[in-house]
Structure formats: structure tokens, C-alpha cells
Amino acid sequence: MKHVKGRLDESILVCVYYGQNGERLIRRGQKIASMLDCPLYILSVDSQPFDTFDAEKSRYIEQWKSLSEELEVEKFILRDNEKRPIQKVISDVAKSYGISQIIVGQSAQSRWEEITKGSFLNVLLKEVPFVDFHIVAVQRPTEEEIYDTYEKGVRAYLVKESNHFKVAFTCPKYVSIEGIFFKEIGTDFDNGIFKFTYNDKMHEVHIVEGLVVDEKHLPAEFLSPLQQ
């Protein structure tokens, strides 16, 4: 059960983008929200639909959701398949949730794809003039940190064979789990991550040489023998 906030005239919105600094921004927001005893909201925006996110993006979203639950954040807001400029989305969310303070990272200008010229903060100040801003200095990721370790995802299926689940790339004639497979770069084997949606939640399992190695992360109903 969430703590009932003492102040409802104040509310904080943390804007996060993919990378190592998202957690730092969220924890900064939680610290300020705790001091003010007010609601905290987390916002992430992406121009792509959620079900097309690659493994890296999906991992960050799940991490932020888990962290939001741990810190008793009022709501984690994901605006996917969003075609409007970022500042328009932030303004819309700020108005909808009565936001009085917004936290953004200093390097957001280069990370949010829609803002390609000028100062992101200046654009945001004009769009959302009714809130106070906290600008948190964040370190730019190194090439190694942003280097993608997976190939582009391809549609695949998990099928039950003997006592294991294996990944297949042609639609089987019997019941299977449909999803996206992200193969590790630089391997000749089918090693990587398989992700799929179940009950409106994204799941992922690790694949080694074509087989699922952490079947405990599959939904319970899939662990029973699959009927041909």
C-alpha cells in the first residue's frame, strides 16, 4: 500500500531516456518528493510502438518499472508510438497530472531524438512555463556503453521439444510462444534474448545454442506440455 502523500499542491515529474542515468534521475526525484512529501511521476517517451522495442530498450523499461514500484512512485508513464515533439508530450503530461516540478538530465538535448537543434531546455521552458525545473548533470555514455550487443530482432517462436524449449524461425504447426529474437553479435550459435508479450507485460528469456536456459521466467501455463 502506497504512502498517502501529505502535499498535493506539489508533484514531481522525472523525464528519463535510455541509458545509465535514468536510475540516477529517478532516485533524485524520489529524494525531493520524499522531502516535500508529494507525488512522484516518471515519464519516458518513444516514437516507436512498445511491441517493437529492442532488447535494450525493453530492459530499461522493465528496470524503471521495478524501481518505480520499489520507490512507491505514483505512476510510471510510458508514451510509446508518440509522433509529437518531446516538449509537447512533456507539457501534456505535466498538465494532466498537475506537475509543479520537472527533473531532466543535462545531456537530454542530445538524447531525445526529436530535439535536434537549439537548447532543449529553452524549448521546454517555453512549452511548460508553469513549472520549476531541476537540471541534473549527467555523464555522457561511452562508446562501449552505447554499443549495441545484439543484432536487429527477428520474429521467432519458442516450441516445446522433449523437456526443453527451443527457438524456431518458421511458424510451427502446433502451439508455440511467438515473439522477437535478438541474436548476440559475433556468434555463430543462436545465442541471445527472446522477448514476448504476455498479459500486457513484456517478458524475456535467455537463449543459449537455441535453447531457453531460464525456463522459470516463462509464464506458468507455458511450462505444461504443449499439445501438437
Side-chain angles (χ1 to χ4, degrees), residues 205 212-220 223:
V205 291
V212 176
V213 296
D214 46 0
E215 293 186 1
K216 64 182 180 180
H217 294 305
L218 293 173
L223 297 179

Side-chain angles (χ1 to χ4, degrees), residues 155-160 165-172 174-181 194-198 203-205 212 215 217-224 226:
R155 187 162 301 280
Y157 308 85
L158 291 185
V159 297
K160 189 73 175 285
F165 281 88
K166 63 176 291 186
V167 64
F169 300 98
T170 56
C171 184
Y174 45 90
V175 179
S176 61
I177 304 172
E178 182 176 356
I180 305 294
F181 176 66
F194 180 91
K195 77 181 187 83
F196 61 98
T197 302
Y198 178 74
H203 297 260
E204 70 174 45
V205 291
V212 176
E215 293 186 1
H217 294 305
L218 293 173
E221 71 174 68
F222 292 122
L223 297 179
S224 59
L226 298 175

Side-chain angles (χ1 to χ4, degrees), residues 34-227:
S34 295
M35 292 172 58
L36 297 176
D37 195 21
C38 71
L40 173 65
Y41 299 86
I42 311 300
L43 171 66
S44 183
V45 184
D46 199 295
S47 60
Q48 297 180 332
F50 177 66
D51 58 7
T52 65
F53 283 10
D54 61 24
E56 196 70 14
K57 284 186 178 182
S58 298
R59 185 178 295 109
Y60 277 118
I61 295 298
E62 291 304 316
Q63 287 176 354
W64 293 335
K65 285 183 178 179
S66 297
L67 184 59
S68 296
E69 293 177 3
E70 174 191 332
L71 300 179
E72 297 186 338
V73 168
E74 197 71 21
K75 187 173 184 180
F76 175 80
I77 306 165
L78 172 63
R79 291 292 179 89
D80 66 324
N81 199 25
E82 185 59 72
K83 306 306 179 187
R84 294 177 297 169
I86 293 295
Q87 70 271 17
K88 297 287 186 182
V89 181
I90 294 176
S91 176
D92 177 58
V93 171
K95 292 175 182 176
S96 297
Y97 291 93
I99 300 300
S100 60
Q101 302 185 44
I102 293 179
I103 297 176
V104 295
Q106 186 179 24
S107 63
Q109 176 180 344
S110 62
R111 301 301 303 279
W112 297 74
E113 295 178 356
E114 287 79 358
I115 306 300
T116 57
K117 294 182 179 180
S119 168
F120 173 70
L121 181 58
N122 287 341
V123 173
L124 199 53
L125 285 170
K126 292 179 181 178
E127 190 68 36
V128 197
F130 52 88
V131 304
D132 295 327
F133 284 88
H134 298 267
I135 310 301
V136 180
V138 294
Q139 182 180 2
R140 293 179 182 275
T142 64
E143 289 187 11
E144 185 178 67
E145 289 170 332
I146 63 175
Y147 183 74
D148 190 4
T149 57
Y150 298 95
E151 296 178 3
K152 183 177 180 180
V154 297
R155 187 162 301 280
Y157 308 85
L158 291 185
V159 297
K160 189 73 175 285
E161 186 174 277
S162 298
N163 294 322
H164 299 285
F165 281 88
K166 63 176 291 186
V167 64
F169 300 98
T170 56
C171 184
K173 296 180 180 179
Y174 45 90
V175 179
S176 61
I177 304 172
E178 182 176 356
I180 305 294
F181 176 66
F182 299 89
K183 183 178 180 180
E184 290 181 356
I185 292 176
T187 176
D188 293 329
F189 300 100
D190 286 329
N191 298 336
I193 291 175
F194 180 91
K195 77 181 187 83
F196 61 98
T197 302
Y198 178 74
N199 283 345
D200 297 322
K201 184 176 180 181
M202 186 62 66
H203 297 260
E204 70 174 45
V205 291
H206 292 275
I207 306 295
V208 175
E209 295 187 11
L211 299 177
V212 176
V213 296
D214 46 0
E215 293 186 1
K216 64 182 180 180
H217 294 305
L218 293 173
E221 71 174 68
F222 292 122
L223 297 179
S224 59
L226 298 175
Q227 300 295 323

